[in-house]
Amino acid sequence: MNNENFTLSERIVSPSYIRQGCQARRGHEQLIRLLLEQGKCPEEGWSESTIELFLNELSVMDSNNFLGNCGVGEREGRVASSLVARRHYRLIHGIGRSGDIAAVQPKAAGSSLLNKLTNSIVLDVLKLSGVRSVASCFVVPMATGMSLTLCFLTLRHRRPKARYIIWPRIDQKSCFKSMITAGFEPVVLENVLEGDELRTDLEAVERKIEALGAENILCVHSTTSCFAPRVPDRLEELATMCAKYDIPHIVNNAYGVQSSKCMHLIQQVGSSRHPWPLISHNTRKHHVIECVVHHQGARVGRIDAFVQSLDKNFMVPVGGAIIAGFDESFIQDISKMYPGRASASPSLDILITLLTLGVNGYKKLLSERKEIYAFLGQELKNLAAAHGERLLHTPHNPISLAMSLDGLQARCDKAVTQLGSMLFTRQVSGARVIPLGREQTISGHTFHGFMSHSEAYPCPYLNAASAVGITREDVTLCIKRLDKCLKTLRKEGSVPRSASEFVQCSQEASAGEGPS
């Protein structure tokens, strides 16, 4: 409805009523105007009616929704199911063009506008979350692992002689496979045990750089968010080392946006914005790569890009990630490396979510997460004490916690594994039970002590995390069910001594208690 249509409507309905409706419409339009003008996440969240109005306005700008459109190409936004069309708000063309995921599509002005706005709003949120110096980012319709692969493939063109990626060990398959898929050889470096924490072995990193030769190393692949007792890598020191040897630095910040500590680490490296020359062996030209690491890394060294998951940080469906960095030209090069057009679903999901939450809504979620982290830690500490265990001391990990299972392991080798299955059958999801001595071979590389981030961590343990969206009720219910499981396993005769007894005990435990 434009002004002319409102004027015509006054011939049909009382002008005073029409004017009131027009004013209400202008309220929605004012919010949309501010979004287009500023390109930032609104302070207060929008109503669903405003969001749907905006998306419908974008949709009618795409050629597949033109009233007189006649499409004779192979990709014309045709959809067989009306249910599918409604699910996507009839935004069918996706984002980007064949040569660049960030490019504008001539026959999809609405989808192109959605893509540009989403990237702008996400950039604003990254800055508000702590990486104030970030220069550019884009949403890519791939999860974290494949997004890291895209970064590595982009670096290949700048360092064609490089074969290796230096990687302080983190036991997550997607991280390891992201390097294998890109065609590089991961150089896995064990962490060092400091108290209960597993931390970056900086001396080992430097020794390996000198042994392999900096020119043969594609990058250092570091990690922020991780499962305790592993803690975020020493980004500041790694960034300094990368600057010293002129080696790119890619950071896996999978679920670090929700943590001010993780974001602070990146910003510290990125805030100095000292340019480091990266030589293209094809063109012999210098490409400027600005230091980047959430806050600590950026000031003193080098981070070329950092990658974060959409679903882990913003509570949207799995399938999207954000690739960000301090040098806009390098981030653009990564976006141009993506082959073909791409799904707009992750961009649409994060746009709707951020417009719904607004800045204040997202900040509230982050604040609640931090409060519940402290609550979860205290509850686990109390439970551990009651069962003769202890909460592992991992102060450098701001999201994940770990509780020892020494006593359980001492009673029966299989009790630790059984605890994991008992929790799962009682609908406790996300808790990870880590036994000793597990081996896992991935793409020809054998990890000893897999899932513990170490070849020989001193004790088995249980993980729990306070991630964005968690509630106090989640923690309370988890602790209650975990307590029941531990009591069941510690009863006289309840811990099996053989494989047959283990199966019988597991069946009896599962039958004896349903979800509470």
Side-chain angles (χ1 to χ4, degrees):
M1 294 286 283
N2 54 31
N3 289 333
E4 182 179 359
N5 286 336
F6 275 116
T7 299
L8 292 172
S9 299
E10 292 179 1
R11 301 178 183 179
I12 305 170
V13 176
S14 170
S16 62
Y17 297 160
I18 296 297
R19 284 194 294 271
Q20 186 179 37
C22 181
Q23 290 171 358
R25 167 87 182 203
R26 285 173 181 165
H28 296 292
E29 292 175 342
Q30 174 69 2
L31 294 174
I32 295 172
R33 185 186 68 79
L34 287 174
L35 177 66
L36 294 171
E37 186 177 84
Q38 299 174 355
K40 296 182 177 181
C41 187
E43 288 293 318
E44 299 294 336
W46 290 6
S47 67
E48 287 188 6
S49 58
T50 304
I51 294 172
E52 289 188 330
L53 173 65
F54 179 50
L55 295 178
N56 285 328
E57 293 281 358
L58 293 177
S59 177
V60 298
M61 295 170 66
D62 283 3
S63 63
N64 61 293
N65 298 311
F66 292 175
L67 293 179
N69 186 64
C70 175
V72 293
E74 83 288 352
R75 179 187 285 122
E76 296 297 333
R78 303 182 181 104
V79 177
S81 168
S82 61
L83 181 61
V84 171
R86 293 197 305 275
R87 175 184 176 235
H88 294 275
Y89 285 90
R90 295 177 297 282
L91 293 160
I92 309 302
H93 281 285
I95 57 175
R97 302 186 73 180
S98 59
D100 185 353
I101 195 176
V104 172
Q105 292 188 59
K107 59 183 177 183
S111 293
S112 299
L113 182 55
L114 179 147
N115 188 27
K116 296 290 187 182
L117 277 174
T118 299
N119 291 339
S120 179
I121 290 171
V122 168
L123 183 67
D124 182 47
V125 170
L126 291 180
K127 292 180 178 180
L128 292 171
S129 299
V131 189
R132 298 184 303 276
S133 302
V134 61
S136 180
C137 76
F138 67 98
V139 173
V140 60
M142 303 185 295
T144 308
M146 286 301 296
S147 298
L148 287 165
T149 297
L150 191 64
C151 295
F152 301 143
L153 290 173
T154 304
L155 286 174
R156 179 194 292 277
H157 290 270
R158 299 189 173 198
R159 299 174 72 86
K161 295 181 180 180
R163 290 180 50 201
Y164 306 103
I165 296 178
I166 291 182
W167 184 57
R169 178 175 169 177
I170 170 90
D171 286 357
Q172 206 160 18
K173 293 180 182 179
S174 61
C175 304
F176 186 77
K177 292 176 74 174
S178 69
M179 299 177 282
I180 296 292
T181 301
F184 294 97
E185 183 177 331
V187 178
V188 184
L189 298 181
E190 286 293 315
N191 302 296
V192 293
L193 186 64
E194 297 181 9
D196 289 330
E197 293 183 326
L198 290 167
R199 307 209 68 185
T200 315
D201 189 340
L202 294 171
E203 292 182 358
V205 172
E206 188 152 26
R207 285 197 304 269
K208 189 59 69 173
I209 290 174
E210 292 174 348
L212 296 174
E215 69 281 2
N216 297 315
I217 298 170
L218 182 81
C219 66
V220 171
H221 177 195
S222 64
T223 304
T224 56
S225 53
C226 52
F227 298 118
R230 177 70 153 81
V231 300
D233 279 319
R234 299 181 187 270
L235 285 193
E236 185 173 347
E237 293 89 340
L238 287 175
T240 302
M241 202 179 298
C242 287
K244 174 183 175 181
Y245 290 97
D246 190 25
I247 297 173
H249 185 188
I250 304 296
V251 179
N252 175 8
N253 189 47
Y255 47 100
V257 178
Q258 61 193 281
S259 164
S260 58
K261 183 174 289 188
C262 289
M263 298 299 271
H264 177 74
L265 288 172
I266 296 176
Q267 170 60 21
Q268 191 121 341
V269 175
S271 60
S272 65
R273 300 178 66 86
H274 294 308
W276 300 98
L278 181 64
I279 296 181
S280 168
H281 297 276
N282 294 328
T283 63
R284 307 304 298 175
K285 293 181 180 178
H286 285 72
H287 298 274
V288 174
I289 300 296
E290 295 175 352
C291 289
V292 126
V293 178
H294 276 91
H295 181 64
Q296 285 171 277
R299 178 183 304 159
V300 296
R302 169 178 185 167
I303 294 177
D304 296 271
F306 55 101
V307 179
Q308 35 275 307
S309 164
L310 286 182
D311 63 281
K312 294 184 179 75
N313 293 291
F314 299 102
M315 297 190 293
V316 296
V318 172
I322 303 165
I323 299 177
F326 301 95
D327 175 53
E328 186 172 359
S329 65
F330 180 59
I331 301 304
Q332 288 177 351
D333 284 349
I334 298 174
S335 74
K336 292 175 182 177
M337 182 60 62
Y338 188 98
R341 289 174 174 81
S343 169
S345 291
S347 296
L348 182 59
D349 289 340
I350 188 61
L351 176 64
I352 292 173
T353 299
L354 291 177
L355 291 179
T356 300
L357 291 172
V359 171
N360 293 334
Y362 189 59
K363 284 184 175 179
K364 182 181 178 183
L365 285 174
L366 299 186
S367 177
E368 290 172 348
R369 186 211 69 79
K370 189 176 291 188
E371 291 175 3
I372 293 174
Y373 172 81
F375 176 61
L376 173 62
Q378 189 58 51
E379 290 292 293
L380 279 174
K381 184 177 181 179
N382 294 340
L383 179 68
H387 289 274
E389 304 289 357
R390 66 187 184 90
L391 181 68
L392 300 184
H393 185 61
T394 55
H396 290 96
N397 193 316
I399 299 173
S400 177
L401 294 158
M403 184 184 87
S404 72
L405 296 174
D406 280 313
L408 200 60
Q409 176 81 26
R411 294 174 67 89
C412 175
D413 289 340
K414 295 181 179 178
V416 172
T417 304
Q418 186 184 1
L419 175 62
S421 64
M422 290 176 70
L423 288 171
F424 183 76
T425 58
R426 284 154 181 77
Q427 299 181 14
V428 177
S429 61
R432 301 167 73 250
V433 175
I434 313 301
L436 294 177
R438 180 179 177 185
E439 289 191 0
Q440 177 81 43
T441 300
I442 306 172
S443 300
H445 183 92
T446 299
F447 291 86
H448 301 283
F450 187 70
M451 293 179 68
S452 67
H453 322 288
S454 171
E455 288 193 344
Y457 195 75
C459 70
Y461 58 87
L462 175 141
N463 272 131
S466 176
V468 66
I470 192 173
T471 65
R472 292 179 71 91
E473 290 74 20
D474 289 330
V475 173
T476 300
L477 201 53
C478 170
I479 296 297
K480 178 181 177 181
R481 293 176 181 175
L482 176 56
D483 183 44
K484 286 184 178 180
C485 290
L486 289 172
K487 286 177 179 177
T488 299
L489 288 171
R490 291 179 186 279
K491 283 180 181 177
E492 184 73 27
S494 66
V495 179
R497 303 299 178 183
S498 67
S500 60
E501 289 174 348
F502 169 72
V503 173
Q504 181 180 357
C505 177
S506 180
Q507 291 173 342
E508 290 174 354
S510 299
E513 182 204 358
S516 56

